[in-house]
Amino acid sequence: MSESTPTRPEADRIRALLETESDEIKENTRLFNAARYDAVEAVGAETHEQYRTRAREIKEKSIERLPDLIHRTRTAVEANGGTVYVADDAEDANRYITRVVADEGADSVVKSKSMTTEEIDLNDALEADGFDVWETDLGEFVIQVAEESPSHIVGPSLHKSREEITALFEREFEPDEPLDSAQKLTAFAREFLGERIDEADVGITGANFVMAESGSIALVTNEGNARKCASIPDTHVAVAGIEKIIPSIAELEPFAGLISRSATGQDVPQYLSLLTPPVDTPTIDFDRADEPGFGGGDADREFHLVLIDNGRRAMRRDEELRETLYCIRCGACANSCANFQSVGGHAFGGETYTGGIATGWEAGIEGLDVAAEFNDLCTGCSRCVNACPVKIDIPWINTVVRDRINRGKDPGFDDLLVDGLVPDEEGSGTPLRKRFFGNFETVARLGSATAPLSNALASTGVARKSMESVLGVDARRDLPAFERTTLRKWARSRDPNVEDPVRRVVLYPDVYTNHVRTERGKAAVRVLEALGCEVVVPDVGGSGRAPLSQGMIATAERKARSAAESLLPYLEDGYDVVVVEPSDIAMFRREYEKLLPAGAYERIDEGSYEILEFVYGLLENDGDIDALPAGNGAGIAYHSHCQQRTLGLESYTETVLERLGYDVLTSDVECCGMAGSFGYKSEYYDLSMDVGETLAEQFEPAADERTVVASGTSCMEQLDSLLSPGTRHPIELLDPVGREDETPNGTSPLRKS
Ligand code: SF4
């Protein structure tokens, strides 16, 4: 098939990680994620939001005036007696640091956790020059001993169980006592690393923040060894990306709580060390520790601040990648990501960085080829955007990088097949599979026009095999069945009769509701009419969601402009736009800001509603609830679409269903794992099902007594395959006409009261 990464090896790699590392990653990331929700609730959502806004402003301004801040930092550090070196790249940085270590006549070096030193492969450079290097952060120490790479920005050994670490340490260190508890492991590491710190000639730390005005650095840790690395050896080298500089200590305030709350759900970190090096603390001679001043105080302390560029100045000039530089490396985007929770950073990451934001970092630092290895694991669900303490639009960065990867590919044989046939704006080289999914609207038009033949042909074994080998569409997935009578055709054939309408509504015929799940569209029309609305279903094309998800931005932009041209006259005429598919309302409210002129975006954003949000509004404004069928206490198992949750729209559905008398059980699973085309792709099928398994486990015990409903097409398809076919959209339960012929999931058919 045409993707640059063959599907089979990638599928095998993901399957292997699901078998070996997934359990630990799941447990730990979900723990952090849940703790973050609790911590935000404890501090108050509004206060947290104020901190996020302030932090974002500080980062934007700091990156804007970065050259000036670098200059000020140099002035302050030199005035304090230290040295500043701005390294162009990894080689330059390593050359400088190894020279400092050699000039010290050092034998050994201790380090605290620092992703920036991982980025430049500092350990390799030091060891190549014959220096002993010891990581003193427990997680990094584990990784160092295991000779592995970090699987998470904050928890580098998050993928390892306590038992695995015990076995590793017992094999490598042959301790006198068994290390069969977390306490014993920690005590062993503390003693072992304590000795390394005492002996070291040079301590290397990172810096979470560098304060230009005073030349101070802030170290945020949970173990405390960073402070020891900075203050015990005679020479301290701090290594930080240039983006870590903020103007002064006054700007540190919002970050102090945000970083630990976002990372691990702690109100404050265990250690927040503020140092203005060279530190005044006397060096400690542990052989004379009982003497006043710990036998020290006469050492000539040295401090070197090494600021790393390594692609960052180019990222700053890049309008789209610039936002990556606001990242404070808290890992919340990874913890909130369903795919990351299942597979971890050894699949969802590049040379150094892991999780959603890794695409931006790796594209900027290593290049597009490294980002391409894992970029498709971001499904654009947007859950990370709300989690990010500096409000980075991580999915957008992923989309932009995906677009650049597509454009960077050499045209292949596939291009000869499709050139001039596909109605997109993409250049030669865009993989055939991306073009297939990105042009799904065209596929759907053809599918409906030729149904039921198209459905019968597509489901034959030959067709499925060809689709798998040519397009990488997994043969285990059921394909959508196209309706011959589209929603638009059905709506045109009706004669609605609503006199003196309370509202006039455009029901947006998204591709799925128009061609595949027409029943939910018909239900939406009937519900809105029952509540006194005039409804039109105009001929509007796709929102651009499908091409955008494949990184086909130019095509998405064209679709967005076309949809806007169709919708804006209705909005100007006083109509409301109502959307059934959550990923499309998310387009209107979020992504259109990037794809449309400001005025058009604002008008569509203001005038568009998710269907249950709109029904809720009608009921709040004297809508007649008795016009809708009552729930009569029937049980519902409801899963809200990830983008619907990100937009804060989940509760409208719950409230409406409860007001109608349903007993609603809502899943707290953030993502169903399907995510549009993602779950169809051969290499991601196992991962998609693994993510969905959590949702299935939540609903399975209730599935016999409750009707399973979901808001998104993907969620419905995934639940159909995980449980049993028959998942319905919530609007179908409100349909005054009802579907008395059906018994979804073995439950009683829905009836009018
Ligand atoms: S992108 Fe945001 S959430 Fe992710 S690591 Fe950076 S600061 Fe944290």
Side-chain angles (χ1 to χ4, degrees):
M1 57 156 286
S2 77
E3 293 277 14
S4 62
T5 310
T7 58
R8 196 177 298 276
E10 182 64 358
D12 290 345
R13 193 166 78 97
I14 286 178
R15 208 173 295 120
L17 286 170
L18 289 174
E19 281 164 15
T20 52
E21 300 189 353
S22 184
D23 287 351
E24 294 302 321
I25 295 273
K26 263 187 201 133
E27 186 179 333
N28 290 312
T29 50
R30 287 178 187 174
L31 206 70
F32 286 159
N33 200 39
R36 176 177 57 81
Y37 278 122
D38 291 345
V40 170
E41 199 181 320
V43 77
E46 207 176 310
T47 307
H48 181 69
E49 195 53 30
Q50 284 164 1
Y51 280 129
R52 288 177 81 215
T53 304
R54 174 95 182 102
R56 171 82 189 195
E57 282 168 6
I58 292 167
K59 275 295 188 181
E60 281 180 4
K61 283 189 187 148
S62 300
I63 296 300
E64 184 60 39
R65 52 179 289 219
L66 190 56
D68 171 50
L69 289 182
I70 293 174
H71 172 71
R72 284 168 186 265
T73 304
R74 184 189 295 281
T75 305
V77 170
E78 288 176 355
N80 295 337
T83 307
V84 173
Y85 186 75
V86 181
D88 289 337
D89 54 25
E91 205 185 321
D92 188 14
N94 288 335
R95 195 183 314 118
Y96 180 83
I97 297 166
T98 47
R99 201 175 62 228
V100 167
V101 175
D103 288 350
E104 271 302 295
D107 294 320
S108 70
V109 171
V110 283
K111 282 184 66 220
S112 70
K113 183 178 177 314
S114 152
M115 291 309 293
T116 312
T117 60
E118 290 276 353
E119 174 190 321
I120 60 172
D121 291 324
L122 177 59
N123 289 17
D124 291 347
L126 287 167
E127 283 165 359
D129 277 17
F131 303 110
D132 278 342
V133 185
W134 292 101
E135 293 288 350
T136 64
D137 170 86
L138 184 53
E140 284 286 350
F141 179 51
V142 169
I143 291 301
Q144 184 183 26
V145 176
E147 297 182 7
E148 292 179 14
S149 60
S151 61
H152 188 281
I153 291 181
V154 172
S157 61
L158 213 68
H159 58 289
K160 288 205 170 300
S161 67
R162 205 258 300 149
E163 290 74 16
E164 284 173 299
I165 298 171
T166 294
L168 174 72
F169 279 16
E170 290 187 348
R171 191 175 65 238
E172 293 295 322
F173 300 112
E174 298 178 357
D176 298 335
E177 300 286 328
L179 303 175
D180 52 5
S181 70
Q183 288 81 355
K184 287 183 194 171
L185 270 174
T186 314
F188 171 81
R190 188 187 302 125
E191 194 182 329
F192 183 90
L193 295 172
E195 285 170 15
R196 304 286 92 73
I197 294 170
D198 293 349
E199 292 161 4
D201 305 296
V202 176
I204 299 177
T205 69
N208 294 86
F209 301 93
V210 176
M211 285 143 285
E213 187 185 74
S214 57
S216 312
I217 63 170
L219 295 169
V220 181
T221 71
N222 270 336
E223 295 174 12
N225 278 349
R227 190 152 63 189
K228 291 183 190 169
C229 290
S231 57
I232 291 177
D234 291 348
T235 298
H236 173 203
V237 180
V239 184
I242 51 177
E243 83 283 3
K244 297 287 181 66
I245 307 177
I246 54 175
S248 72
I249 199 158
E251 283 78 18
L252 185 64
E253 191 242 339
F255 297 104
L258 268 181
I259 193 165
S260 56
R261 207 178 301 132
S262 307
T264 52
Q266 293 164 281
D267 282 342
V268 285
Q270 298 280 1
Y271 296 89
L272 175 55
S273 306
L274 294 176
L275 310 168
T276 304
V279 289
D280 291 335
T281 316
T283 49
I284 301 167
D285 181 345
F286 280 88
D287 291 333
R288 296 158 50 202
D290 49 352
E291 292 178 18
F294 300 112
D298 53 354
D300 190 11
R301 307 300 302 270
E302 260 194 51
F303 173 64
H304 299 260
L305 175 62
V306 182
L307 294 170
I308 311 281
D309 176 355
N310 207 27
R312 287 165 172 80
R313 282 190 266 220
M315 288 166 77
R316 179 174 172 268
R317 291 191 296 273
D318 184 320
E319 217 175 288
E320 310 286 6
L321 288 188
R322 183 185 179 113
E323 219 186 340
T324 309
L325 299 173
Y326 306 158
C327 173
I328 59 171
R329 313 256 178 91
C330 70
C333 51
N335 299 335
S336 61
C337 169
N339 279 348
F340 190 94
Q341 287 177 0
S342 269
V343 82
H346 286 156
F348 202 151
E351 299 278 315
T352 309
Y353 297 100
T354 52
I357 195 61
T359 286
W361 282 119
E362 295 287 339
I365 287 163
E366 302 289 346
L368 290 177
D369 49 339
V370 174
E373 288 170 17
F374 63 95
N375 169 264
D376 280 346
L377 282 165
C378 170
T379 61
C381 78
S382 310
R383 300 295 297 142
C384 54
V385 181
N386 289 0
C388 177
V390 276
K391 304 187 184 184
I392 298 176
D393 194 343
I394 300 157
W396 182 253
I397 293 173
N398 274 284
T399 304
V400 167
V401 170
R402 196 168 296 166
D403 185 85
R404 291 179 186 180
I405 292 166
N406 290 346
R407 288 173 189 281
K409 286 187 193 297
D410 290 332
F413 177 66
D414 309 332
D415 293 293
L416 293 176
L417 289 176
V418 298
D419 244 10
L421 292 177
V422 281
D424 62 37
E425 305 287 317
E426 308 307 306
S428 296
T430 302
L432 184 59
R433 176 165 70 174
K434 288 195 192 283
R435 284 186 131 161
F436 172 75
F437 285 119
N439 288 296
F440 186 72
E441 188 180 353
T442 306
V443 176
R445 278 180 201 270
L446 277 172
S448 280
T450 55
L453 184 65
S454 53
N455 300 323
L457 283 177
S459 59
T460 60
V462 180
R464 295 311 308 266
K465 266 204 176 129
S466 316
M467 286 181 83
E468 186 159 280
S469 59
V470 178
L471 296 171
V473 176
D474 200 285
R476 289 166 287 184
R477 282 282 179 203
D478 289 334
L479 296 176
F482 299 107
E483 296 280 353
R484 178 82 179 198
T485 305
T486 63
L487 175 67
R488 278 200 296 261
K489 212 191 265 183
W490 172 85
R492 274 199 305 271
S493 69
R494 297 175 75 241
D495 184 18
N497 188 18
V498 179
E499 283 175 15
D500 298 327
V502 291
R503 306 290 300 182
R504 291 187 299 155
V505 170
V506 169
L507 184 74
Y508 173 67
D510 67 84
V511 175
Y512 266 85
T513 308
N514 192 41
H515 292 277
V516 182
R517 300 256 179 192
T518 55
E519 204 53 47
R520 65 187 193 182
K522 294 174 193 170
V525 171
R526 291 190 287 251
V527 170
L528 293 170
E529 287 177 353
L531 293 172
C533 299
E534 174 197 313
V535 186
V536 292
V537 186
D539 192 7
V540 189
S543 69
R545 167 61 69 192
L548 196 72
S549 70
Q550 306 305 314
M552 296 160 59
I553 295 178
T555 307
E557 197 171 328
R558 178 170 59 74
K559 295 259 176 205
R561 284 180 188 274
S562 164
E565 265 171 37
S566 302
L567 294 174
L568 285 170
Y570 284 102
L571 287 163
E572 293 316 316
D573 203 20
Y575 280 79
D576 303 303
V577 173
V578 173
V579 184
V580 176
E581 175 58 40
S583 60
D584 285 304
I585 188 73
M587 278 296 278
F588 290 177
R589 290 203 180 161
R590 284 174 40 82
E591 280 81 6
Y592 272 18
E593 189 175 6
K594 301 261 189 340
L595 301 175
L596 291 179
Y601 159 68
E602 280 158 21
R603 191 68 197 90
I604 290 178
D605 174 40
E606 280 164 13
S608 304
Y609 303 86
E610 189 268 338
I611 178 71
L612 268 296
E613 177 192 23
F614 195 76
V615 169
Y616 171 87
L618 292 171
L619 295 178
E620 282 292 289
N621 288 281
D622 301 326
D624 179 14
I625 197 163
D626 291 333
L628 306 177
N632 295 329
I636 298 290
Y638 167 56
H639 176 68
S640 175
H641 187 274
C642 46
Q643 280 159 334
Q644 190 180 8
R645 285 182 197 216
T646 305
L647 293 173
L649 300 175
E650 172 187 47
S651 60
Y652 294 112
T653 302
E654 280 179 301
T655 307
V656 169
L657 290 173
E658 281 168 0
R659 282 171 69 173
L660 283 165
Y662 287 101
D663 172 22
V664 184
L665 165 76
T666 305
S667 85
D668 60 13
V669 175
E670 307 218 7
C671 179
C672 71
M674 188 70 177
S677 63
F678 181 81
Y680 283 100
K681 295 178 177 172
S682 298
E683 69 273 40
Y684 301 131
Y685 173 82
D686 291 306
L687 174 55
S688 163
M689 293 303 272
D690 188 74
V691 172
E693 205 48 54
T694 315
L695 177 57
E697 280 166 15
Q698 210 167 84
F699 277 179
E700 223 149 22
D704 283 346
E705 298 102 44
R706 291 174 181 270
T707 300
V708 178
V709 297
S711 316
T713 304
S714 303
C715 320
M716 294 170 87
E717 287 169 356
Q718 181 79 318
L719 282 163
D720 276 357
S721 55
L722 284 163
L723 299 171
S724 56
T727 307
R728 302 174 73 175
H729 188 282
I731 197 68
E732 293 179 64
L733 308 191
L734 275 60
D735 188 351
V737 172
R739 292 165 70 188
E740 299 186 7
D741 55 323
E742 287 196 20
T743 54
N745 302 305
T747 59
S748 304
L750 294 157
R751 294 178 201 287
K752 283 198 237 186
S753 58

